[in-house]
Amino acid sequence: MIRARRSSLAGAEPLSPRRKWRAILLATLLLIPSYWALVAGLVSIASEDRRGAPDAGLSIALGLILVPFVFIALAFLSEHPRAPAAVAKAMVLSLAVGIPVSALAYDAVTGFVAGMGAGAIAAMRADLDRSWKARALAVLIVTVWAYVTVRVMPEAALLLAPVLPFTSVGVADHLLEIRRERRAAPHPPTDRG
């Protein structure tokens, strides 16, 4: 399976940083309305006085309906070679990671960041020299950040949560690329004597 994947990507050129960050930006812009609809629905459920509050079911449904389109945009804009399968895998991962993390963290923001980050790992194209481990570590870092920030400064966590998942995956790819370029660069001779 790994050989088949390598051979299918062998002829493809690596995705340029400009295209990768454009995909991340546009997918994040699509994610923001989904996130705020979900937040509005959850706040509406939790509020005691529901007069003037948005319909919780409608808000949550709208937020969940938009999520597949976010992963579709991320997969196709990042030129994933098997975009439909990547979108399906991203949806499953986002639920499989996001729901348990929300339950363990006892807040929706941390689970949202973890779930969308896990989905981004699958949806965004990974070139041959990329590692899912670096992406997973980046998502773990922003998930821990979200967990701590929700408890220390909830306003910052609410505002930054939709920006963190895809950006962290892009930053992990970028740092990994820099590290591999440094390893591949010829070392200058040292003058010993």
Side-chain angles (χ1 to χ4, degrees):
M1 182 171 151
I2 293 173
R3 285 186 188 156
R5 180 175 181 208
R6 286 185 182 165
S7 66
S8 69
L9 290 175
E13 294 216 5
L15 189 64
S16 72
R18 182 183 193 108
R19 284 185 169 181
K20 180 181 295 186
W21 285 105
R22 185 179 329 146
I24 291 169
L25 174 66
L26 292 175
T28 300
L29 289 175
L30 286 173
L31 180 63
I32 291 171
S34 170
Y35 170 74
W36 284 111
L38 288 168
V39 168
L42 293 173
V43 168
S44 180
I45 288 172
S47 67
E48 307 236 345
D49 183 16
R50 296 203 179 168
R51 288 177 296 168
D55 182 18
L58 185 63
S59 295
I60 291 173
L62 175 65
L64 292 176
I65 287 170
L66 293 175
V67 170
F69 295 104
V70 171
F71 288 131
I72 288 169
L74 187 60
F76 281 97
L77 291 172
S78 70
E79 301 173 13
H80 196 290
R82 291 175 298 285
V87 170
K89 187 176 180 182
M91 289 300 299
V92 170
L93 275 173
S94 68
L95 292 173
V97 171
I99 292 171
V101 170
S102 282
L104 289 172
Y106 207 66
D107 72 81
V109 173
T110 304
F112 178 84
V113 170
M116 295 307 290
I121 292 170
M124 196 160 77
R125 174 182 166 177
D127 292 324
L128 285 177
D129 62 346
R130 300 288 185 241
S131 170
W132 69 268
K133 291 179 184 178
R135 289 177 168 191
L137 179 62
V139 170
L140 176 65
I141 289 169
V142 295
T143 300
V144 169
W145 181 89
Y147 177 80
V148 171
T149 308
V150 163
R151 281 137 187 85
V152 175
M153 197 177 348
E155 297 84 7
L158 279 173
L159 290 175
L160 291 175
V163 177
L164 295 174
F166 302 156
T167 305
S168 67
V169 172
V171 169
D173 284 355
H174 184 72
L175 292 176
L176 189 61
E177 185 176 304
I178 289 172
R179 188 165 83 181
R180 291 194 178 171
E181 284 177 3
R182 284 184 182 161
R183 284 185 192 161
H187 297 289
T190 57
D191 188 23
R192 296 185 185 222

